[in-house]
Amino acid sequence: MALVAGVDSSTQSCKVVIRDAATGALVRSGRAAHPDGTEVDPAAWWGALLQAFADAGGLDGVEAISIGGQQHGMVVLDERGRVIRPALLWNDTRSAQAARDLIAEVGASEYARRTGVVPVASFTATKLRWLRDAEPEAAARVAAVALPHDWLTWRLRGFGPAGESPLGPVLDELTTDRSDASGTAYWGAEGYDRELLVRALGHDAILPKVLGPADAAGRTPDGILVGPGAGDNAGAALGLDAASGDVVVSIGTSGTVFAVTDAPVADVSGTVAGFADATGRFLPLIATLNAARVLDAVAGLLGVDHHELGRLALEAAPGASGAVLVPYFEGERTPNLPDATASLAGLTLANTTRPTIARAAIEGMLCGLADGLEAVRGQGVEAQRLLLIGGAAQNAAVQAVAAQVFDVPVVVPEPGEYVADGAARQAAWVLSGERPAWPVSISRRLELDTRPEIRAQYATAAAPATVG
């Protein structure tokens, strides 16, 4: 039995799944935690990857492996392959002004035309501009720029700083895929846009070679075939085997709404990012900074766990009796409000109860994602069903409220590590030359129960923050 491994190196942890290449059956799995924060030494990711492999019982029998990873993170290397400074992650908003500067210099429509995206604080180009402006000595030392999955793939193949890796610092061996390259704001249909890279960083640098969906990046020192890898959302779409008409809503550290399309998207407003997917197609996407951690915060405030938060929420009526949480706790990416804060509006003596606050938290989180769905539809994407994934998707109250907030039939797949599963599918694809047709199990199909008043009162409460 040929085995393949898929990795999800996410913001919070590293997950590994090892599957039967022919059937997709799970054989074993492992995980390890990542440090907290929006700035992380990539060495922590490498250590977590090795720990996750060990937790999965090692890689014995594995013939191919691919790595999915958090998008946009800035990994800058010097000419000797050493990491120059801790990586700025996608959710580090200190580059918000850098994004504004780049748009002012190039133009939003020109960025959308050339790269399919308009810079926001999360994208790699804005972090490079921040580095150029805030840490010019560090920026001057940059010989190569990689993203988290690029760097881990490179290390997995045996490359890295001299003395720390068997093959040494061969920067030209860095590789990536279309999905992760498309989140940099210096890559487009014609490949890397060097002028935009130089505008961000201040000088040219080595960038990873962009591989096709089934291209091999190389092999590990032990001979395991290594796939191109992917950005996390593209990995999840592949893991779900998402097709035209499917819209995926993922509730993790961030919230995302994305769909697989045959044609690229170029939204000059910057709301919808015109990313590429992991199959040769495209992945129009919106992301919110505030997702499952909204529930963490309110559960902590109420002194309950997530199960009890959901139970409380279901005691309240749809619309939470007028209480509305606009959950911009960490600023927001969609809408692009990096300096915004959260607000709890519509409170009265009658509705200030634990159930209404619990329900307002879930409704607020999902309303932000429903606004994202409307933005994706505005780019011509047809939504026939909504696939709800992520840890919070298993909460009964989140499911019930999703059926009321969205106006598309909601399907909840069985709990799974879909980014890692997508990476495993990709590894099997590279190994055999054929995209695997592994089944995806569905846990629940929710009856549509749309309550327009929920989104209407949310829109009213969110309007001041959006205008401000």
Side-chain angles (χ1 to χ4, degrees), residues 288-324:
T288 63
L289 291 179
N290 301 280
R293 284 186 291 183
V294 174
L295 308 187
D296 294 340
V298 176
L301 176 68
L302 298 178
V304 298
D305 61 16
H306 280 239
H307 175 77
E308 179 66 7
L309 181 76
R311 190 194 67 76
L312 285 170
L314 291 176
E315 290 182 2
S321 300
V324 183

mmCIF file of all heavy atoms in Angstrom, residues 288-324:
data_model
loop_
_atom_site.group_PDB
_atom_site.id
_atom_site.type_symbol
_atom_site.label_atom_id
_atom_site.label_comp_id
_atom_site.label_asym_id
_atom_site.label_seq_id
_atom_site.Cartn_x
_atom_site.Cartn_y
_atom_site.Cartn_z
ATOM 1 N N THR A 288 -11.621 37.332 6.746
ATOM 2 C CA THR A 288 -11.841 38.185 7.906
ATOM 3 C C THR A 288 -10.804 37.826 8.970
ATOM 4 O O THR A 288 -10.463 36.657 9.138
ATOM 5 C CB THR A 288 -13.257 37.999 8.490
ATOM 6 O OG1 THR A 288 -13.402 36.654 8.963
ATOM 7 C CG2 THR A 288 -14.315 38.279 7.445
ATOM 8 N N LEU A 289 -10.306 38.822 9.668
ATOM 9 C CA LEU A 289 -9.339 38.562 10.734
ATOM 10 C C LEU A 289 -10.005 37.944 11.958
ATOM 11 O O LEU A 289 -9.362 37.244 12.741
ATOM 12 C CB LEU A 289 -8.654 39.864 11.155
ATOM 13 C CG LEU A 289 -7.696 40.511 10.158
ATOM 14 C CD1 LEU A 289 -7.143 41.803 10.747
ATOM 15 C CD2 LEU A 289 -6.560 39.578 9.803
ATOM 16 N N ASN A 290 -11.300 38.217 12.129
ATOM 17 C CA ASN A 290 -11.996 37.833 13.360
ATOM 18 C C ASN A 290 -12.973 36.704 13.082
ATOM 19 O O ASN A 290 -14.030 36.930 12.486
ATOM 20 C CB ASN A 290 -12.742 39.054 13.912
ATOM 21 C CG ASN A 290 -11.813 40.216 14.210
ATOM 22 O OD1 ASN A 290 -11.153 40.233 15.238
ATOM 23 N ND2 ASN A 290 -11.733 41.171 13.297
ATOM 24 N N ALA A 291 -12.615 35.506 13.511
ATOM 25 C CA ALA A 291 -13.502 34.362 13.292
ATOM 26 C C ALA A 291 -13.643 33.586 14.600
ATOM 27 O O ALA A 291 -14.257 34.071 15.544
ATOM 28 C CB ALA A 291 -12.978 33.497 12.155
ATOM 29 N N ALA A 292 -13.046 32.399 14.690
ATOM 30 C CA ALA A 292 -13.261 31.565 15.880
ATOM 31 C C ALA A 292 -12.818 32.255 17.162
ATOM 32 O O ALA A 292 -13.374 31.990 18.237
ATOM 33 C CB ALA A 292 -12.534 30.239 15.713
ATOM 34 N N ARG A 293 -11.847 33.158 17.068
ATOM 35 C CA ARG A 293 -11.389 33.826 18.281
ATOM 36 C C ARG A 293 -12.432 34.796 18.837
ATOM 37 O O ARG A 293 -12.355 35.196 20.004
ATOM 38 C CB ARG A 293 -10.044 34.509 18.039
ATOM 39 C CG ARG A 293 -8.897 33.487 18.008
ATOM 40 C CD ARG A 293 -7.555 34.141 17.914
ATOM 41 N NE ARG A 293 -7.372 34.769 16.618
ATOM 42 C CZ ARG A 293 -6.242 35.369 16.249
ATOM 43 N NH1 ARG A 293 -5.217 35.426 17.072
ATOM 44 N NH2 ARG A 293 -6.133 35.900 15.045
ATOM 45 N N VAL A 294 -13.412 35.188 18.006
ATOM 46 C CA VAL A 294 -14.549 35.950 18.523
ATOM 47 C C VAL A 294 -15.290 35.102 19.550
ATOM 48 O O VAL A 294 -15.656 35.570 20.638
ATOM 49 C CB VAL A 294 -15.498 36.352 17.378
ATOM 50 C CG1 VAL A 294 -16.761 37.010 17.931
ATOM 51 C CG2 VAL A 294 -14.785 37.264 16.395
ATOM 52 N N LEU A 295 -15.503 33.835 19.205
ATOM 53 C CA LEU A 295 -16.182 32.931 20.124
ATOM 54 C C LEU A 295 -15.326 32.656 21.350
ATOM 55 O O LEU A 295 -15.847 32.551 22.467
ATOM 56 C CB LEU A 295 -16.545 31.628 19.411
ATOM 57 C CG LEU A 295 -17.321 31.781 18.099
ATOM 58 C CD1 LEU A 295 -17.761 30.415 17.587
ATOM 59 C CD2 LEU A 295 -18.514 32.705 18.268
ATOM 60 N N ASP A 296 -14.002 32.550 21.145
ATOM 61 C CA ASP A 296 -13.097 32.378 22.290
ATOM 62 C C ASP A 296 -13.262 33.534 23.271
ATOM 63 O O ASP A 296 -13.360 33.331 24.494
ATOM 64 C CB ASP A 296 -11.639 32.329 21.825
ATOM 65 C CG ASP A 296 -11.308 31.111 20.993
ATOM 66 O OD1 ASP A 296 -12.056 30.117 21.057
ATOM 67 O OD2 ASP A 296 -10.281 31.143 20.282
ATOM 68 N N ALA A 297 -13.262 34.759 22.728
ATOM 69 C CA ALA A 297 -13.312 35.949 23.581
ATOM 70 C C ALA A 297 -14.624 36.019 24.361
ATOM 71 O O ALA A 297 -14.633 36.296 25.573
ATOM 72 C CB ALA A 297 -13.125 37.207 22.732
ATOM 73 N N VAL A 298 -15.742 35.774 23.688
ATOM 74 C CA VAL A 298 -17.032 35.896 24.359
ATOM 75 C C VAL A 298 -17.259 34.722 25.310
ATOM 76 O O VAL A 298 -17.829 34.900 26.396
ATOM 77 C CB VAL A 298 -18.162 36.028 23.323
ATOM 78 C CG1 VAL A 298 -19.521 36.061 23.999
ATOM 79 C CG2 VAL A 298 -17.956 37.301 22.505
ATOM 80 N N ALA A 299 -16.791 33.538 24.944
ATOM 81 C CA ALA A 299 -16.883 32.406 25.879
ATOM 82 C C ALA A 299 -16.101 32.712 27.150
ATOM 83 O O ALA A 299 -16.556 32.434 28.265
ATOM 84 C CB ALA A 299 -16.369 31.130 25.219
ATOM 85 N N GLY A 300 -14.911 33.305 26.987
ATOM 86 C CA GLY A 300 -14.119 33.688 28.150
ATOM 87 C C GLY A 300 -14.817 34.737 28.991
ATOM 88 O O GLY A 300 -14.808 34.681 30.228
ATOM 89 N N LEU A 301 -15.443 35.709 28.326
ATOM 90 C CA LEU A 301 -16.174 36.757 29.041
ATOM 91 C C LEU A 301 -17.313 36.161 29.874
ATOM 92 O O LEU A 301 -17.546 36.574 31.023
ATOM 93 C CB LEU A 301 -16.739 37.756 28.032
ATOM 94 C CG LEU A 301 -17.623 38.875 28.587
ATOM 95 C CD1 LEU A 301 -16.804 39.836 29.439
ATOM 96 C CD2 LEU A 301 -18.312 39.624 27.444
ATOM 97 N N LEU A 302 -17.996 35.180 29.298
ATOM 98 C CA LEU A 302 -19.137 34.572 29.988
ATOM 99 C C LEU A 302 -18.731 33.435 30.911
ATOM 100 O O LEU A 302 -19.573 32.896 31.635
ATOM 101 C CB LEU A 302 -20.149 34.059 28.954
ATOM 102 C CG LEU A 302 -20.778 35.126 28.045
ATOM 103 C CD1 LEU A 302 -21.709 34.478 27.038
ATOM 104 C CD2 LEU A 302 -21.516 36.179 28.865
ATOM 105 N N GLY A 303 -17.451 33.058 30.879
ATOM 106 C CA GLY A 303 -16.968 32.005 31.761
ATOM 107 C C GLY A 303 -17.471 30.624 31.383
ATOM 108 O O GLY A 303 -17.746 29.806 32.266
ATOM 109 N N VAL A 304 -17.585 30.362 30.059
ATOM 110 C CA VAL A 304 -18.091 29.075 29.598
ATOM 111 C C VAL A 304 -17.169 28.508 28.521
ATOM 112 O O VAL A 304 -16.302 29.206 27.984
ATOM 113 C CB VAL A 304 -19.526 29.209 29.025
ATOM 114 C CG1 VAL A 304 -20.487 29.695 30.101
ATOM 115 C CG2 VAL A 304 -19.548 30.159 27.813
ATOM 116 N N ASP A 305 -17.347 27.232 28.187
ATOM 117 C CA ASP A 305 -16.641 26.654 27.053
ATOM 118 C C ASP A 305 -17.489 26.843 25.794
ATOM 119 O O ASP A 305 -18.601 27.398 25.844
ATOM 120 C CB ASP A 305 -16.310 25.179 27.300
ATOM 121 C CG ASP A 305 -17.546 24.309 27.511
ATOM 122 O OD1 ASP A 305 -18.674 24.742 27.184
ATOM 123 O OD2 ASP A 305 -17.374 23.170 27.999
ATOM 124 N N HIS A 306 -16.988 26.369 24.656
ATOM 125 C CA HIS A 306 -17.691 26.609 23.398
ATOM 126 C C HIS A 306 -19.025 25.870 23.345
ATOM 127 O O HIS A 306 -19.994 26.379 22.767
ATOM 128 C CB HIS A 306 -16.806 26.217 22.205
ATOM 129 C CG HIS A 306 -15.802 27.263 21.856
ATOM 130 N ND1 HIS A 306 -15.753 27.867 20.620
ATOM 131 C CD2 HIS A 306 -14.799 27.844 22.584
ATOM 132 C CE1 HIS A 306 -14.770 28.756 20.591
ATOM 133 N NE2 HIS A 306 -14.180 28.753 21.767
ATOM 134 N N HIS A 307 -19.087 24.683 23.922
ATOM 135 C CA HIS A 307 -20.348 23.939 23.931
ATOM 136 C C HIS A 307 -21.414 24.714 24.696
ATOM 137 O O HIS A 307 -22.558 24.857 24.229
ATOM 138 C CB HIS A 307 -20.146 22.557 24.552
ATOM 139 C CG HIS A 307 -21.413 21.782 24.701
ATOM 140 N ND1 HIS A 307 -22.029 21.144 23.642
ATOM 141 C CD2 HIS A 307 -22.212 21.554 25.794
ATOM 142 C CE1 HIS A 307 -23.137 20.551 24.063
ATOM 143 N NE2 HIS A 307 -23.268 20.787 25.356
ATOM 144 N N GLU A 308 -21.054 25.233 25.861
ATOM 145 C CA GLU A 308 -22.012 25.989 26.667
ATOM 146 C C GLU A 308 -22.354 27.318 26.007
ATOM 147 O O GLU A 308 -23.504 27.788 26.092
ATOM 148 C CB GLU A 308 -21.442 26.218 28.071
ATOM 149 C CG GLU A 308 -22.343 27.013 29.017
ATOM 150 C CD GLU A 308 -23.642 26.283 29.369
ATOM 151 O OE1 GLU A 308 -23.802 25.096 29.000
ATOM 152 O OE2 GLU A 308 -24.510 26.919 30.003
ATOM 153 N N LEU A 309 -21.392 27.927 25.324
ATOM 154 C CA LEU A 309 -21.682 29.159 24.579
ATOM 155 C C LEU A 309 -22.771 28.891 23.547
ATOM 156 O O LEU A 309 -23.716 29.679 23.401
ATOM 157 C CB LEU A 309 -20.415 29.674 23.889
ATOM 158 C CG LEU A 309 -20.573 30.978 23.103
ATOM 159 C CD1 LEU A 309 -20.637 32.170 24.060
ATOM 160 C CD2 LEU A 309 -19.427 31.155 22.109
ATOM 161 N N GLY A 310 -22.631 27.766 22.826
ATOM 162 C CA GLY A 310 -23.638 27.417 21.840
ATOM 163 C C GLY A 310 -24.995 27.135 22.469
ATOM 164 O O GLY A 310 -26.039 27.539 21.942
ATOM 165 N N ARG A 311 -25.002 26.442 23.608
ATOM 166 C CA ARG A 311 -26.267 26.154 24.284
ATOM 167 C C ARG A 311 -26.964 27.441 24.706
ATOM 168 O O ARG A 311 -28.179 27.601 24.536
ATOM 169 C CB ARG A 311 -26.024 25.264 25.508
ATOM 170 C CG ARG A 311 -27.309 24.709 26.134
ATOM 171 C CD ARG A 311 -27.061 24.142 27.505
ATOM 172 N NE ARG A 311 -26.688 25.172 28.471
ATOM 173 C CZ ARG A 311 -27.531 26.019 29.028
ATOM 174 N NH1 ARG A 311 -28.812 25.985 28.699
ATOM 175 N NH2 ARG A 311 -27.112 26.924 29.896
ATOM 176 N N LEU A 312 -26.179 28.391 25.255
ATOM 177 C CA LEU A 312 -26.750 29.675 25.635
ATOM 178 C C LEU A 312 -27.317 30.406 24.424
ATOM 179 O O LEU A 312 -28.432 30.955 24.475
ATOM 180 C CB LEU A 312 -25.679 30.544 26.302
ATOM 181 C CG LEU A 312 -25.278 30.210 27.731
ATOM 182 C CD1 LEU A 312 -24.051 31.007 28.135
ATOM 183 C CD2 LEU A 312 -26.434 30.490 28.693
ATOM 184 N N ALA A 313 -26.574 30.407 23.333
ATOM 185 C CA ALA A 313 -27.011 31.136 22.137
ATOM 186 C C ALA A 313 -28.334 30.621 21.615
ATOM 187 O O ALA A 313 -29.184 31.400 21.146
ATOM 188 C CB ALA A 313 -25.935 31.036 21.056
ATOM 189 N N LEU A 314 -28.545 29.332 21.689
ATOM 190 C CA LEU A 314 -29.783 28.753 21.183
ATOM 191 C C LEU A 314 -30.980 29.052 22.086
ATOM 192 O O LEU A 314 -32.123 28.815 21.692
ATOM 193 C CB LEU A 314 -29.619 27.247 20.992
ATOM 194 C CG LEU A 314 -28.674 26.844 19.859
ATOM 195 C CD1 LEU A 314 -28.491 25.335 19.810
ATOM 196 C CD2 LEU A 314 -29.179 27.370 18.520
ATOM 197 N N GLU A 315 -30.727 29.578 23.283
ATOM 198 C CA GLU A 315 -31.827 30.019 24.146
ATOM 199 C C GLU A 315 -32.395 31.361 23.696
ATOM 200 O O GLU A 315 -33.525 31.717 24.057
ATOM 201 C CB GLU A 315 -31.357 30.149 25.597
ATOM 202 C CG GLU A 315 -31.049 28.826 26.291
ATOM 203 C CD GLU A 315 -30.648 29.039 27.741
ATOM 204 O OE1 GLU A 315 -30.658 30.206 28.207
ATOM 205 O OE2 GLU A 315 -30.321 28.050 28.407
ATOM 206 N N ALA A 316 -31.592 32.117 22.930
ATOM 207 C CA ALA A 316 -32.015 33.440 22.483
ATOM 208 C C ALA A 316 -32.689 33.347 21.116
ATOM 209 O O ALA A 316 -32.413 32.451 20.323
ATOM 210 C CB ALA A 316 -30.815 34.382 22.416
ATOM 211 N N ALA A 317 -33.530 34.323 20.821
ATOM 212 C CA ALA A 317 -34.239 34.345 19.542
ATOM 213 C C ALA A 317 -33.322 34.848 18.433
ATOM 214 O O ALA A 317 -32.348 35.571 18.690
ATOM 215 C CB ALA A 317 -35.457 35.258 19.656
ATOM 216 N N PRO A 318 -33.605 34.472 17.182
ATOM 217 C CA PRO A 318 -32.840 35.028 16.061
ATOM 218 C C PRO A 318 -32.836 36.554 16.115
ATOM 219 O O PRO A 318 -33.875 37.186 16.348
ATOM 220 C CB PRO A 318 -33.593 34.509 14.839
ATOM 221 C CG PRO A 318 -34.231 33.238 15.300
ATOM 222 C CD PRO A 318 -34.615 33.489 16.733
ATOM 223 N N GLY A 319 -31.667 37.138 15.926
ATOM 224 C CA GLY A 319 -31.521 38.587 16.063
ATOM 225 C C GLY A 319 -31.129 39.022 17.444
ATOM 226 O O GLY A 319 -30.882 40.205 17.690
ATOM 227 N N ALA A 320 -31.007 38.058 18.376
ATOM 228 C CA ALA A 320 -30.544 38.332 19.740
ATOM 229 C C ALA A 320 -31.279 39.497 20.383
ATOM 230 O O ALA A 320 -30.702 40.305 21.110
ATOM 231 C CB ALA A 320 -29.019 38.582 19.742
ATOM 232 N N SER A 321 -32.581 39.598 20.096
ATOM 233 C CA SER A 321 -33.430 40.657 20.677
ATOM 234 C C SER A 321 -32.856 42.051 20.454
ATOM 235 O O SER A 321 -32.995 42.951 21.281
ATOM 236 C CB SER A 321 -33.638 40.414 22.178
ATOM 237 O OG SER A 321 -34.267 39.167 22.392
ATOM 238 N N GLY A 322 -32.168 42.221 19.318
ATOM 239 C CA GLY A 322 -31.621 43.535 18.971
ATOM 240 C C GLY A 322 -30.177 43.757 19.350
ATOM 241 O O GLY A 322 -29.579 44.757 18.943
ATOM 242 N N ALA A 323 -29.574 42.858 20.136
ATOM 243 C CA ALA A 323 -28.155 42.996 20.486
ATOM 244 C C ALA A 323 -27.295 42.591 19.290
ATOM 245 O O ALA A 323 -27.533 41.555 18.667
ATOM 246 C CB ALA A 323 -27.820 42.131 21.690
ATOM 247 N N VAL A 324 -26.297 43.406 18.951
ATOM 248 C CA VAL A 324 -25.453 43.149 17.783
ATOM 249 C C VAL A 324 -23.986 43.317 18.161
ATOM 250 O O VAL A 324 -23.580 44.367 18.670
ATOM 251 C CB VAL A 324 -25.770 44.119 16.625
ATOM 252 C CG1 VAL A 324 -24.919 43.771 15.409
ATOM 253 C CG2 VAL A 324 -27.246 44.073 16.272
#
